[in-house]
Amino acid sequence: MTVHNSEIATIFDKVADLLEIEGANAFRVRAYRKAALAIGTMPQCLADMVEEGADLSELPTIGHDLADKIAEITRTGHLHLLDEIERRTPGDLAELMDLPGLGPKRVHALQEMLGITGIDDLLRAARTGELKKLPGFGPKLQEQILHTLTARGGADRRLRLRIAEEIARDLVRHMKTAPGVGHVIVAGSFRRRRETVGDLDILVTSAQPMQAVDRFKAHEDIAEVVSKGATRSTARLRSGLQVDLRVVPEESYGAALQYFTGSKAHNIATRRIAQAAGLKVNEYGVFRGNRQIAGATEEDVYSALGLPWIPPELREDRGEIEAAAKGRLPNLVTREDVRGDLHVHTTASDGTASIQEMAQAAKALGYEYIAITEHSRRVTVAHGLDEKRLARQIDEIDRLNDALEGITVLKGVEVDILEDGTLDLADSILKRLDLVLGAVHTSFGLARTQQTDRILRAMDNPYFTILAHPTGRLIGRREPLLLDMERLMAGALERGVVLEVNGQPDRLDLTDIHARMAKEIGVRLALTTDAHRQSDLDFMIGAVDQARRGWMEPAGVVNTRPLHALRRLLSR
DNA sequence: GCCGTTTTCGGCCCGACTGTTTTCAGTCG
């Protein structure tokens, strides 16, 4: 069996937690954390690399020691070091670290003084009042822990970006009406356009910070103000979402925006550059000694460090700083570059609007073309089309194109890839189409080699043009297919097949990481919405976000091309 | 434990807020 990167990351995170509780060297702890973070978002499968004899110590944050430990984990499924530490520390102390107010020092004290080894012990100690007597603890903390443990459940789940967007819009509107407020912007992972966000970070500029903080806590959705100071406040919404407010003076706007946008890893990397240049960066500006030399805009901040402005989507410490220093930042694809949508359903299968209605909606967005791509017969719940019905739709689209002005409707299909890798419709009908999307909707549970082979076999069909939602994952609901993504992409490149970045808020498939991989391998992408109604065409922004986070440029995306060029690219 | 236009040894991001403190440690982002 293959050990996944995420499992290695989990092991390293646990080692970090337990070492920290034991009071180990803080930088050693940090090394495990950094490695876990990096491994969790690496596109390459580490287990495969070990198998191939690659030198893992060349990877960032991985040295010789951790490379050996990764090899050990992929070969045995275990890490001797972790087993050892767990023998020393009974129970599950690491899970206590997740509770707000508890860090390594206090968890250590809990074990040392009260013999607490897990959540149950902790709850008991809080109820009996033993907890508040410990040095470093008190009645407030005991109360908070009790509250967290009894009111637990689901509140710490990350929110999909599209949902967060609705909440954020409302909060921003609320803060804009506060007296004396200048900028109001949502920073954090929201601004970096991550697929989910754990909290909202709202940055406000004002000369009267207290007024802004007061205005914030008056918002009707706020259930509880967790902390509140002169320049920052943390609150929990009724939905459970945490919101952090930060108020800075106008002259610090750029520095605060940079700081608050993160990511943490990106910020640490930028501060190290500053340090090396004898400068200091904090949320108020860039400083030489006590003198502020930048801070009003993000451009100034980066420029003071000798760097061009870096788009937020890239700020994950995945090579963007090195690229910026060399003047090699990508020219990221934008929503305006997209000239049409290539994955759209209508009432013929499970959509709610007609072909003409979808075409008109696309035209209103300024598109040049739109592809109609219904499900095939196998997907019975979605009313999938067989050859006969698809032939009728082809004729209907031909007639419609004669009548339509200013937009072209392309003839397509989202044909099912059957378990043996054949397609759900005959070649005789596929060859009459402008494009053929292939997609997996069944047999999600195949083993990795089998699943990869199945899709590659489907791509062998000469009419297959785009692999739709390649991993099949649904955020928070369905795990991605087990796939050897490198082999799949190499196969797609060989066959001239395009991979989709599906913008449905719960799909976002390919992910940012795989989009980046596609770019490096040279596979082209199609940004689509999988729209089932007119308003779904707005999901394009989700696909663009993922592509941007994957460093994609317009040239790597097929539907940034005008119609004639697109047709050329799609004909294999 | 990682890493290197100061270095293979000696560094390792930085500040706000809380609670328990009597001047600050711990946690958090």
Side-chain angles (χ1 to χ4, degrees), chain A residues 262-554:
Chain A
S263 66
K264 191 170 177 166
H266 176 87
N267 285 355
I268 290 174
T270 52
R271 285 171 185 196
R272 289 184 68 146
I273 290 183
Q275 214 177 25
L279 303 171
K280 187 178 70 171
V281 180
N282 59 28
E283 54 265 56
Y284 299 109
V286 182
F287 296 86
R288 174 167 280 128
N290 289 324
R291 198 167 62 88
Q292 179 177 354
I293 62 168
T297 69
E298 277 195 328
E299 284 80 357
D300 291 349
V301 171
Y302 282 106
S303 162
L305 304 178
L307 298 172
W309 181 80
I310 300 175
E313 294 92 333
L314 299 184
R315 300 184 196 170
E316 301 288 348
D317 194 24
R318 291 184 200 151
E320 73 279 7
I321 290 173
E322 295 79 355
K326 289 183 197 146
R328 291 207 193 123
L329 282 174
N331 160 40
L332 296 181
V333 64
T334 67
R335 167 66 185 74
E336 288 67 39
D337 292 325
V338 175
R339 291 175 189 250
D341 202 327
L342 298 181
H343 188 161
V344 172
H345 296 271
T346 73
T347 47
S349 63
D350 57 347
T352 62
S354 68
I355 300 175
Q356 181 157 11
E357 286 167 336
M358 293 306 286
Q360 293 296 356
K363 186 179 160 185
L365 292 175
Y367 285 157
E368 292 174 25
Y369 47 82
I370 182 174
I372 302 302
T373 55
E374 309 291 8
H375 289 287
S376 61
R377 62 186 160 201
R378 171 66 183 260
V379 188
T380 49
V381 288
H383 229 74
L385 276 58
D386 58 14
E387 282 86 355
K388 233 169 150 180
R389 288 178 61 208
L390 184 52
R392 276 207 298 276
Q393 190 182 64
I394 289 172
D395 293 339
E396 185 188 347
I397 291 175
D398 281 338
R399 280 195 304 275
L400 190 59
N401 272 328
D402 289 340
L404 276 176
E405 291 280 329
I407 187 152
T408 301
V409 179
L410 297 171
K411 292 164 286 193
V413 73
E414 179 183 2
V415 65
D416 245 54
I417 297 174
L418 304 180
E419 186 169 339
D420 63 358
T422 58
L423 301 180
D424 189 29
L425 292 170
D427 286 0
S428 55
I429 190 85
L430 297 182
K431 75 175 178 197
R432 295 182 55 198
L433 299 168
D434 297 306
L435 73 168
V436 173
L437 276 58
V440 168
H441 293 108
T442 56
S443 303
F444 292 103
L446 297 187
R448 199 162 81 121
T449 306
Q450 219 178 336
Q451 194 70 273
T452 309
D453 287 345
R454 168 198 192 181
I455 295 176
L456 287 172
R457 209 169 306 132
M459 288 180 182
D460 283 336
N461 183 299
Y463 304 109
F464 191 116
T465 40
I466 299 177
L467 178 62
H469 45 75
T471 77
R473 68 98 177 242
L474 295 174
I475 297 175
R477 287 194 286 141
R478 186 166 71 210
E479 289 298 303
L481 303 175
L482 294 175
L483 289 170
D484 182 341
M485 203 43 98
E486 270 167 280
R487 192 155 68 89
L488 186 79
M489 287 198 186
L493 182 66
E494 229 173 69
R495 295 165 175 81
V497 166
V498 174
L499 299 192
E500 180 182 65
V501 178
N502 186 306
Q504 283 276 338
D506 55 351
R507 285 195 182 274
L508 301 178
D509 181 12
L510 296 175
T511 60
D512 53 351
I513 291 168
H514 285 139
R516 175 92 179 266
M517 195 167 158
K519 180 181 181 180
E520 271 158 25
I521 290 177
V523 175
R524 290 205 177 86
L525 300 182
L527 308 186
T528 75
T529 66
D530 205 346
H532 286 70
R533 56 189 63 77
Q534 289 100 322
S535 59
D536 287 358
L537 293 170
D538 290 340
F539 294 161
M540 187 59 78
I541 194 64
V544 171
D545 287 339
Q546 292 295 308
R548 288 173 64 84
R549 287 180 53 81
W551 294 52
M552 285 305 285
E553 301 184 282

Side-chain angles (χ1 to χ4, degrees), chain A residues 192-246:
Chain A
R192 302 201 311 279
R193 311 307 293 168
R194 280 194 56 177
E195 62 189 35
T196 59
V197 300
D199 63 6
L200 289 176
D201 302 296
I202 302 182
L203 175 66
V204 167
T205 58
S206 172
Q208 296 101 37
M210 275 322 281
Q211 287 191 28
V213 172
D214 285 341
R215 176 74 187 162
F216 173 64
K217 78 177 192 202
H219 191 273
E220 58 179 8
D221 277 351
I222 289 178
E224 176 197 4
V225 177
V226 179
S227 84
K228 177 173 158 324
T231 63
R232 74 186 303 171
S233 176
T234 298
R236 192 165 294 284
L237 301 184
R238 280 204 289 264
S239 62
L241 186 70
Q242 181 172 312
V243 184
D244 294 325
L245 176 78
R246 188 67 198 261

